[in-house]
Amino acid sequence: ILFNLSLNFSISSVMYKIGVLGIQGGFEEHVTALQKSISDIEVIVIREAPFPETLHGIVLPGGESTTMSIVSE
């Protein structure tokens, strides 16, 4: 999970927008886990670049080298 650590506000006062890379199987579990664990969150499934600039963070499910290489391009 990658998050922008320069955020200067508490989680209770902000609606966080988190992207989940949805190009491989298993990403649905990550979406569900985020929605259940953080009340003020909007989860967006990302299937292609560019990523929205308004994201506070992005989840890369699995961490396989294929995913990493796709994201880095």
Side-chain angles (χ1 to χ4, degrees):
I1 299 176
L2 304 174
F3 287 99
N4 181 348
L5 299 178
S6 65
L7 301 174
N8 293 320
F9 36 76
S10 70
I11 195 163
S12 62
S13 66
V14 171
M15 175 62 85
Y16 275 85
K17 190 180 288 189
I18 304 296
V20 176
L21 192 61
I23 59 172
Q24 305 188 129
F27 67 87
E28 297 93 351
E29 290 86 356
H30 294 276
V31 171
T32 301
L34 285 166
Q35 291 171 332
K36 285 183 177 180
S37 62
I38 304 173
S39 60
D40 296 329
I41 191 169
E42 178 184 356
V43 181
I44 299 170
V45 176
I46 300 170
R47 298 188 187 277
E48 58 186 41
F51 300 157
E53 292 185 22
T54 57
L55 292 178
H56 292 102
I58 186 165
V59 176
L60 305 174
E64 290 89 355
S65 59
T66 303
T67 302
M68 298 299 186
S69 65
I70 291 170
V71 170
S72 66
E73 292 178 1

